[in-house]
Amino acid sequence: MDNDKLAALVVVALLGCMAHTCQASYGYPNPMPPIPSPTPPTAPALTLNYYSYSCPNAEAIVREAVKNATDNNRGIGAGLIRLFFHDCFVRGCDASVLLDATTANPEPEKLGIPNFPSLRGFEVIDAAKTKLEKECGGVVSCADIVAFAGRDASFFLSNGVVDIKMPAGRYDGRVSFANETLRDLPPPFANVTVLEAMFKAKGLDLDDMVTLSGAHTVGISHCSSFADRLPADPSDPTSMEPVLASSLQQKCSRGGDPVVVQDDVTPRDLDKQYYQNVLDRKVLFKSDAALLSPQTLKAVEHNAKNPGKWERKFTDAMVKMGNTEVKTKANGEIRKQCRFVN
């Protein structure tokens, strides 16, 4: 499918949702930006144990920071996995999501609608970077810290089952724009066709999409992100399970924008429970329910029924995602502070 047809398909799919309640529920603009063309293959080769000589304790320092954070609040671990995903999907895995607003750039990625105010874990990256700069200044990129943190959060939240061998060697990007988050990050109301196209644009296939969606087995969501799914619609075979929908409607009617856990069965653990939740229609987002589509249903069933299958696929998918549009010394830098370019 060429890019013009793909863009048209995305706009039609998103407008169909937003004509009802999605614009009010999510705060996304109407129309949504078209999906970008697929990115070129990664040029530089990332390697395991990249810092073994230049900063031998680098990965241990990041792991300690993540462990300290997740020991106090496992939800921060879910935030770090999401931070890695949101970084890689916009301009590649280059830590552009960490950049703060400045006079020169008042609207960086972290202030984009999909990221603000829900994205979290920045303070864990800062803690690791501060210690790394004292031990080996100017050596470890913020982009690699984000990747290591996503890896380590997966390890701790899965109780050691998801053990990712994450290569490194990324450089940090110098550019970050909030409006690119809408173009590149899959919205919670996307159907499976849109999801497949958006992942394909990043070099990831349909099975990678299904696999990475499993991270929704941990973490929380604001009610505004699934308000269009309440109350349950008996005529829709992908509608939320009625008892869960009723419970969530009560929680979400308390004023403000409350948060709820994404997986009510094993909310603290990164595991395959998400896929059983999809089959039971006990998931929050339309993009979760979309996995009941014929194109993805078999993969969901396999992940739900086969112990260890999803965990192995998730480790591979995280590494594959971590290779997206990697920066080099030629077009990146090693930031001294993760929140600002040098």
Side-chain angles (χ1 to χ4, degrees), residues 259-278:
V259 295
V260 300
V261 295
Q262 294 198 78
D263 173 7
D264 199 37
V265 183
T266 57
R268 291 169 50 84
D269 297 329
L270 185 73
D271 57 22
K272 67 183 179 66
Q273 180 61 41
Y274 168 80
Y275 297 97
Q276 189 59 51
N277 293 348
V278 171

Side-chain angles (χ1 to χ4, degrees), residues 116-165:
F116 185 79
S118 60
L119 210 58
R120 55 184 177 157
F122 298 107
E123 71 283 356
V124 182
I125 307 300
D126 290 338
K129 180 64 171 175
T130 298
K131 194 164 183 179
L132 284 165
E133 284 299 301
K134 289 179 181 177
E135 178 136 341
C136 34
V139 172
V140 183
S141 70
C142 299
D144 280 341
I145 296 173
V146 172
F148 291 150
R151 173 200 66 186
D152 296 336
S154 299
F155 180 83
F156 292 123
L157 294 189
S158 68
N159 302 308
V161 176
V162 176
D163 191 4
I164 302 167
K165 309 303 180 188

Side-chain angles (χ1 to χ4, degrees), residues 48-337:
L48 291 172
N49 305 311
Y50 180 81
Y51 296 105
S52 57
Y53 296 106
S54 59
C55 190
N57 293 326
E59 296 190 37
I61 287 171
V62 177
R63 179 157 289 209
E64 181 184 26
V66 174
K67 186 177 190 304
N68 290 340
T70 54
D71 281 350
N72 291 323
N73 181 357
R74 287 174 76 87
I76 294 296
L80 290 168
I81 297 171
R82 185 168 180 250
L83 189 68
F84 181 40
F85 178 93
H86 281 225
D87 182 39
C88 290
F89 260 61
V90 185
R91 289 189 172 266
C93 309
D94 66 349
S96 53
V97 74
L98 304 180
L99 292 173
D100 278 352
T102 62
T103 303
N105 182 25
E107 294 191 9
E109 283 174 38
K110 64 168 53 173
L111 297 184
I113 289 172
N115 291 337
F116 185 79
S118 60
L119 210 58
R120 55 184 177 157
F122 298 107
E123 71 283 356
V124 182
I125 307 300
D126 290 338
K129 180 64 171 175
T130 298
K131 194 164 183 179
L132 284 165
E133 284 299 301
K134 289 179 181 177
E135 178 136 341
C136 34
V139 172
V140 183
S141 70
C142 299
D144 280 341
I145 296 173
V146 172
F148 291 150
R151 173 200 66 186
D152 296 336
S154 299
F155 180 83
F156 292 123
L157 294 189
S158 68
N159 302 308
V161 176
V162 176
D163 191 4
I164 302 167
K165 309 303 180 188
M166 183 63 72
R170 303 166 185 83
Y171 278 70
D172 300 323
R174 302 185 182 96
V175 180
S176 182
F177 297 121
N179 59 6
E180 293 182 347
T181 61
L182 290 169
R183 180 194 66 190
D184 290 348
L185 290 167
F189 49 82
N191 62 32
V192 73
T193 305
V194 172
L195 289 170
E196 181 179 14
M198 297 190 85
F199 275 72
K200 183 179 179 181
K202 301 302 170 184
L204 299 165
D205 61 29
L206 187 63
D207 195 57
D208 294 325
M209 183 274 287
V210 175
T211 300
L212 290 167
S213 295
H216 286 178
T217 189
V218 288
I220 56 177
S221 171
H222 286 269
C223 287
S224 59
S225 293
F226 57 89
D228 59 317
R229 301 245 296 152
L230 303 176
D233 180 0
S235 66
D236 181 359
T238 66
S239 178
M240 193 181 296
E241 190 273 327
V243 175
L244 176 62
S246 178
S247 171
L248 290 174
Q249 197 158 18
Q250 280 190 320
K251 293 176 182 177
C252 293
S253 63
R254 294 171 183 167
D257 190 8
V259 295
V260 300
V261 295
Q262 294 198 78
D263 173 7
D264 199 37
V265 183
T266 57
R268 291 169 50 84
D269 297 329
L270 185 73
D271 57 22
K272 67 183 179 66
Q273 180 61 41
Y274 168 80
Y275 297 97
Q276 189 59 51
N277 293 348
V278 171
L279 295 173
D280 294 339
R281 298 187 293 121
K282 293 182 178 180
V283 286
L284 300 185
F285 309 136
K286 280 189 172 179
S287 58
D288 294 324
L291 299 191
L292 289 170
S293 300
Q295 305 97 299
T296 51
L297 180 58
K298 183 175 289 188
V300 170
E301 291 173 337
H302 284 176
N303 290 339
K305 295 175 182 177
N306 297 300
K309 181 180 180 71
W310 171 75
E311 289 84 354
R312 290 190 295 272
K313 290 168 65 176
F314 187 72
T315 61
D316 293 339
M318 287 281 278
V319 171
K320 186 176 179 181
M321 182 179 72
N323 278 271
T324 305
E325 295 179 81
V326 171
K327 303 294 187 296
T328 66
K329 189 175 182 179
N331 62 352
E333 63 183 16
I334 307 295
R335 287 185 216 143
K336 296 175 183 177
Q337 298 181 64

